[in-house]
Short mmCIF file of all heavy atoms in Angstrom, two decimals:
data_model
loop_
_atom_site.label_atom_id
_atom_site.label_comp_id
_atom_site.label_asym_id
_atom_site.label_seq_id
_atom_site.Cartn_x
_atom_site.Cartn_y
_atom_site.Cartn_z
N ALA A 79 -10.01 -3.21 -0.12
CA ALA A 79 -10.54 -3.03 1.24
C ALA A 79 -12.01 -3.41 1.29
O ALA A 79 -12.45 -4.12 2.21
CB ALA A 79 -10.35 -1.58 1.70
N LEU A 80 -12.77 -2.99 0.30
CA LEU A 80 -14.19 -3.34 0.25
C LEU A 80 -14.38 -4.85 0.09
O LEU A 80 -15.24 -5.45 0.75
CB LEU A 80 -14.89 -2.60 -0.88
CG LEU A 80 -15.20 -1.14 -0.66
CD1 LEU A 80 -15.72 -0.50 -1.93
CD2 LEU A 80 -16.21 -0.98 0.46
N ALA A 81 -13.61 -5.47 -0.80
CA ALA A 81 -13.73 -6.91 -1.00
C ALA A 81 -13.38 -7.66 0.28
O ALA A 81 -14.03 -8.66 0.62
CB ALA A 81 -12.83 -7.36 -2.15
N GLY A 82 -12.37 -7.18 1.01
CA GLY A 82 -12.03 -7.81 2.29
C GLY A 82 -13.15 -7.69 3.29
O GLY A 82 -13.47 -8.66 4.00
N LEU A 83 -13.78 -6.52 3.35
CA LEU A 83 -14.92 -6.35 4.26
C LEU A 83 -16.10 -7.22 3.83
O LEU A 83 -16.80 -7.79 4.68
CB LEU A 83 -15.34 -4.89 4.33
CG LEU A 83 -14.41 -3.98 5.13
CD1 LEU A 83 -14.82 -2.52 4.97
CD2 LEU A 83 -14.41 -4.38 6.60
N PHE A 84 -16.32 -7.36 2.54
CA PHE A 84 -17.39 -8.25 2.08
C PHE A 84 -17.08 -9.70 2.42
O PHE A 84 -17.99 -10.46 2.76
CB PHE A 84 -17.62 -8.10 0.57
CG PHE A 84 -18.68 -7.10 0.21
CD1 PHE A 84 -18.34 -5.82 -0.18
CD2 PHE A 84 -20.03 -7.44 0.25
CE1 PHE A 84 -19.31 -4.89 -0.52
CE2 PHE A 84 -21.00 -6.53 -0.08
CZ PHE A 84 -20.65 -5.25 -0.46
N ALA A 85 -15.81 -10.10 2.35
CA ALA A 85 -15.44 -11.47 2.72
C ALA A 85 -15.72 -11.70 4.20
O ALA A 85 -16.19 -12.78 4.60
CB ALA A 85 -13.96 -11.71 2.41
N ILE A 86 -15.45 -10.70 5.03
CA ILE A 86 -15.78 -10.81 6.46
C ILE A 86 -17.30 -10.83 6.65
O ILE A 86 -17.82 -11.58 7.46
CB ILE A 86 -15.13 -9.66 7.26
CG1 ILE A 86 -13.61 -9.77 7.21
CG2 ILE A 86 -15.63 -9.65 8.70
CD1 ILE A 86 -12.88 -8.56 7.74
N ALA A 87 -18.00 -10.01 5.86
CA ALA A 87 -19.46 -9.95 5.96
C ALA A 87 -20.11 -11.27 5.59
O ALA A 87 -21.22 -11.56 6.04
CB ALA A 87 -20.01 -8.82 5.09
N ASP A 88 -19.44 -12.08 4.79
CA ASP A 88 -19.98 -13.41 4.47
C ASP A 88 -20.09 -14.26 5.73
O ASP A 88 -20.96 -15.12 5.83
CB ASP A 88 -19.09 -14.12 3.45
CG ASP A 88 -19.23 -13.56 2.04
OD1 ASP A 88 -20.25 -12.88 1.78
OD2 ASP A 88 -18.33 -13.79 1.22
N ARG A 89 -19.23 -14.00 6.71
CA ARG A 89 -19.28 -14.73 7.98
C ARG A 89 -20.12 -14.01 9.03
O ARG A 89 -20.73 -14.64 9.88
CB ARG A 89 -17.86 -14.97 8.50
CG ARG A 89 -17.05 -15.90 7.62
CD ARG A 89 -15.70 -16.22 8.21
NE ARG A 89 -14.86 -15.04 8.42
CZ ARG A 89 -14.02 -14.54 7.53
NH1 ARG A 89 -13.91 -15.10 6.36
NH2 ARG A 89 -13.28 -13.49 7.81
N ASP A 90 -20.08 -12.66 8.99
CA ASP A 90 -20.82 -11.86 9.95
C ASP A 90 -21.42 -10.66 9.21
O ASP A 90 -20.70 -9.70 8.90
CB ASP A 90 -19.90 -11.39 11.08
CG ASP A 90 -20.63 -10.66 12.20
OD1 ASP A 90 -21.83 -10.32 12.02
OD2 ASP A 90 -20.00 -10.41 13.24
N SER A 91 -22.70 -10.74 8.93
CA SER A 91 -23.34 -9.74 8.07
C SER A 91 -23.35 -8.34 8.67
O SER A 91 -23.59 -7.37 7.96
CB SER A 91 -24.77 -10.17 7.73
OG SER A 91 -25.55 -10.28 8.91
N ARG A 92 -23.02 -8.20 9.96
CA ARG A 92 -22.95 -6.86 10.55
C ARG A 92 -21.85 -6.02 9.92
O ARG A 92 -21.88 -4.80 10.00
CB ARG A 92 -22.76 -6.96 12.07
CG ARG A 92 -23.97 -7.56 12.78
CD ARG A 92 -23.70 -7.75 14.23
NE ARG A 92 -22.62 -8.73 14.39
CZ ARG A 92 -22.01 -8.97 15.53
NH1 ARG A 92 -22.35 -8.32 16.61
NH2 ARG A 92 -21.06 -9.87 15.60
N PHE A 93 -20.89 -6.65 9.28
CA PHE A 93 -19.82 -5.90 8.63
C PHE A 93 -20.33 -5.13 7.41
O PHE A 93 -19.63 -4.26 6.90
CB PHE A 93 -18.66 -6.82 8.25
CG PHE A 93 -17.68 -6.96 9.38
CD1 PHE A 93 -17.88 -7.92 10.35
CD2 PHE A 93 -16.59 -6.12 9.47
CE1 PHE A 93 -16.99 -8.05 11.41
CE2 PHE A 93 -15.70 -6.23 10.53
CZ PHE A 93 -15.90 -7.19 11.50
N LEU A 94 -21.53 -5.43 6.95
CA LEU A 94 -22.11 -4.63 5.87
C LEU A 94 -22.29 -3.19 6.32
O LEU A 94 -22.18 -2.25 5.52
CB LEU A 94 -23.43 -5.23 5.40
CG LEU A 94 -23.29 -6.54 4.63
CD1 LEU A 94 -24.66 -7.14 4.36
CD2 LEU A 94 -22.52 -6.35 3.34
N PHE A 95 -22.54 -3.00 7.61
CA PHE A 95 -22.64 -1.64 8.14
C PHE A 95 -21.27 -0.94 8.05
O PHE A 95 -21.19 0.24 7.72
CB PHE A 95 -23.13 -1.66 9.59
CG PHE A 95 -23.31 -0.30 10.18
CD1 PHE A 95 -24.36 0.51 9.78
CD2 PHE A 95 -22.41 0.19 11.11
CE1 PHE A 95 -24.51 1.79 10.30
CE2 PHE A 95 -22.56 1.46 11.64
CZ PHE A 95 -23.62 2.26 11.23
N ALA A 96 -20.20 -1.69 8.31
CA ALA A 96 -18.85 -1.12 8.19
C ALA A 96 -18.57 -0.72 6.74
O ALA A 96 -17.94 0.31 6.48
CB ALA A 96 -17.81 -2.13 8.67
N ILE A 97 -19.06 -1.50 5.81
CA ILE A 97 -18.90 -1.17 4.39
C ILE A 97 -19.63 0.13 4.08
O ILE A 97 -19.08 1.02 3.42
CB ILE A 97 -19.41 -2.33 3.50
CG1 ILE A 97 -18.51 -3.54 3.67
CG2 ILE A 97 -19.52 -1.89 2.04
CD1 ILE A 97 -19.06 -4.82 3.09
N PHE A 98 -20.85 0.25 4.56
CA PHE A 98 -21.62 1.48 4.35
C PHE A 98 -20.89 2.67 4.93
O PHE A 98 -20.76 3.72 4.29
CB PHE A 98 -23.02 1.32 4.98
CG PHE A 98 -23.82 2.58 4.96
CD1 PHE A 98 -24.41 3.03 3.80
CD2 PHE A 98 -23.98 3.33 6.12
CE1 PHE A 98 -25.15 4.21 3.78
CE2 PHE A 98 -24.71 4.50 6.12
CZ PHE A 98 -25.30 4.94 4.94
N MET A 99 -20.36 2.53 6.14
CA MET A 99 -19.63 3.61 6.79
C MET A 99 -18.35 3.96 6.02
O MET A 99 -18.01 5.13 5.87
CB MET A 99 -19.30 3.26 8.24
CG MET A 99 -20.53 3.18 9.14
SD MET A 99 -21.53 4.68 9.10
CE MET A 99 -20.39 5.88 9.71
N LEU A 100 -17.63 2.95 5.54
CA LEU A 100 -16.41 3.19 4.77
C LEU A 100 -16.72 4.01 3.52
O LEU A 100 -16.02 4.97 3.19
CB LEU A 100 -15.73 1.87 4.39
CG LEU A 100 -14.50 2.00 3.49
CD1 LEU A 100 -13.36 2.67 4.24
CD2 LEU A 100 -14.07 0.63 3.00
N LEU A 101 -17.79 3.66 2.83
CA LEU A 101 -18.16 4.38 1.61
C LEU A 101 -18.58 5.82 1.92
O LEU A 101 -18.21 6.74 1.20
CB LEU A 101 -19.26 3.63 0.86
CG LEU A 101 -18.81 2.30 0.26
CD1 LEU A 101 -20.00 1.52 -0.28
CD2 LEU A 101 -17.76 2.50 -0.82
N CYS A 102 -19.32 6.01 3.00
CA CYS A 102 -19.70 7.38 3.40
C CYS A 102 -18.47 8.19 3.79
O CYS A 102 -18.34 9.36 3.39
CB CYS A 102 -20.69 7.34 4.56
SG CYS A 102 -22.32 6.75 4.10
N CYS A 103 -17.58 7.58 4.54
CA CYS A 103 -16.36 8.28 4.97
C CYS A 103 -15.48 8.62 3.77
O CYS A 103 -14.85 9.68 3.73
CB CYS A 103 -15.58 7.43 5.97
SG CYS A 103 -16.38 7.33 7.58
N PHE A 104 -15.44 7.74 2.78
CA PHE A 104 -14.66 8.02 1.58
C PHE A 104 -15.18 9.27 0.88
O PHE A 104 -14.40 10.11 0.45
CB PHE A 104 -14.69 6.81 0.64
CG PHE A 104 -14.00 7.07 -0.67
CD1 PHE A 104 -12.61 7.10 -0.74
CD2 PHE A 104 -14.73 7.28 -1.82
CE1 PHE A 104 -11.97 7.35 -1.94
CE2 PHE A 104 -14.10 7.53 -3.03
CZ PHE A 104 -12.72 7.56 -3.09
N GLN A 105 -16.50 9.38 0.78
CA GLN A 105 -17.10 10.56 0.14
C GLN A 105 -16.66 11.83 0.86
O GLN A 105 -16.20 12.79 0.25
CB GLN A 105 -18.64 10.48 0.18
CG GLN A 105 -19.23 9.38 -0.63
CD GLN A 105 -19.37 9.72 -2.10
OE1 GLN A 105 -18.93 10.76 -2.56
NE2 GLN A 105 -19.97 8.82 -2.84
N VAL A 106 -16.83 11.84 2.16
CA VAL A 106 -16.51 13.03 2.96
C VAL A 106 -15.01 13.29 2.98
O VAL A 106 -14.56 14.43 2.84
CB VAL A 106 -17.07 12.87 4.39
CG1 VAL A 106 -16.61 14.00 5.29
CG2 VAL A 106 -18.60 12.80 4.35
N ALA A 107 -14.22 12.24 3.14
CA ALA A 107 -12.76 12.40 3.24
C ALA A 107 -12.17 12.99 1.97
O ALA A 107 -11.28 13.85 2.04
CB ALA A 107 -12.11 11.06 3.56
N PHE A 108 -12.64 12.56 0.81
CA PHE A 108 -12.09 13.10 -0.43
C PHE A 108 -12.40 14.58 -0.56
O PHE A 108 -11.53 15.37 -0.91
CB PHE A 108 -12.58 12.32 -1.65
CG PHE A 108 -11.92 12.78 -2.91
CD1 PHE A 108 -10.60 12.45 -3.16
CD2 PHE A 108 -12.60 13.56 -3.83
CE1 PHE A 108 -9.97 12.89 -4.32
CE2 PHE A 108 -11.98 14.01 -4.99
CZ PHE A 108 -10.65 13.67 -5.23
N LEU A 109 -13.64 14.97 -0.26
CA LEU A 109 -13.98 16.39 -0.33
C LEU A 109 -13.19 17.20 0.71
O LEU A 109 -12.70 18.28 0.42
CB LEU A 109 -15.48 16.60 -0.13
CG LEU A 109 -16.34 16.35 -1.36
CD1 LEU A 109 -17.81 16.49 -1.02
CD2 LEU A 109 -15.97 17.29 -2.49
#
Side-chain angles (χ1 to χ4, degrees):
L80 284 172
L83 286 172
F84 267 99
I86 295 169
D88 286 341
R89 294 185 300 270
D90 186 349
S91 61
R92 294 175 296 169
F93 273 86
L94 289 173
F95 183 73
I97 293 168
F98 173 75
M99 292 305 298
L100 176 67
L101 292 171
C102 289
C103 289
F104 175 75
Q105 294 278 5
V106 173
F108 185 73
L109 279 176

